[in-house]
Amino acid sequence: VSTSTRGGRVIVKIGSDRPLIGPPELEGLPAQALDLLARSSKRYEVVAPAPIGTTALRIQTVDIDGMAGDTTVVLKVDPVGPSGGNLTSKDGVATAVFGEAALYHAITGGIERAEISTDVQPPIGNAYHFSPDSVPFREMVGVHFKIPEDTDPSGLGVYELTSKGWSFVWNDVDTTRNTIWAGVRHFSTYALIEDKRPPEVSIQSPRDGSRTSALPEIQVALRDSLSGIPMESLISFELDG
């Protein structure tokens, strides 16, 4: 079972290793307000208006072998108004901090653990999806991650998961909250990543072993993958010798 909150609606995905004999039985959400969608005999999806506050959703299933499943998930949806406020994940690791002028209008949102591909570098702990991800902010909203115990914060940064992989956002330290944080203009999927990889620099011209009688033009290429350097203006080269 996985849950997410988007656009003022909660989405609950229910999966089974074996085909189910019928739709799951749900307790905790108003039946008249939810849509129960069958994706396959093993997969169902529940879509309902996001309940404000904390709600326990009980899910009961029976597979074709007669094996019963009984799971309770906790849905946590918090309202945030134009005067500001916070959203926090259930485990307390990830938090969004809204200032007084950050929003154009009140929203309901949440922070849920996100599944990520094995093709990208694994984060420290979990990745988190911050919602709603379709609402722009008037001012920057702080995305905070708790600094794990016995971890040097100097190598940590907040990264956004994009179609091309992880993209560095920023890495300010909040000593009061004991967090690494970054300001964002909209929500997405974020994670805390420890970077120990320096940028890779290669000389493009002149080529190794080449000779010239004229003043050579020196061309250098930089590959910056998870180095924590967000923009070219922060990179400088020193030619020695």
Side-chain angles (χ1 to χ4, degrees), residues 15 23 42 57 91 116 134 139 150 185 215 223 231 234:
K42 298 180 181 180
L57 175 63
D91 56 14
I116 61 173
S134 58
E139 293 187 357
D150 302 322
R185 287 286 185 180
L215 188 66
R223 184 174 184 273
M231 58 189 73
L234 299 180

Side-chain angles (χ1 to χ4, degrees), residues 60-150:
Q60 295 175 291
T61 59
V62 179
D63 66 23
I64 58 174
D65 296 325
M67 296 294 294
D70 194 335
T71 303
T72 298
V73 296
V74 177
L75 308 176
K76 189 174 185 294
V77 180
D78 298 319
V80 180
S83 61
N86 295 344
L87 298 175
T88 303
S89 61
K90 298 171 188 175
D91 56 14
V93 172
T95 300
V97 179
F98 296 79
E100 290 186 359
L103 295 174
Y104 292 99
H105 54 77
I107 64 169
T108 56
I111 304 174
E112 304 285 345
R113 292 185 182 182
E115 297 181 2
I116 61 173
S117 169
T118 56
D119 295 334
V120 298
Q121 178 171 323
I124 293 179
N126 298 286
Y128 293 82
H129 183 78
F130 290 62
S131 64
D133 53 13
S134 58
V135 176
F137 304 139
R138 176 180 288 165
E139 293 187 357
M140 290 285 193
V141 172
V143 169
H144 290 248
F145 285 89
K146 287 288 187 183
I147 300 174
E149 294 183 4
D150 302 322

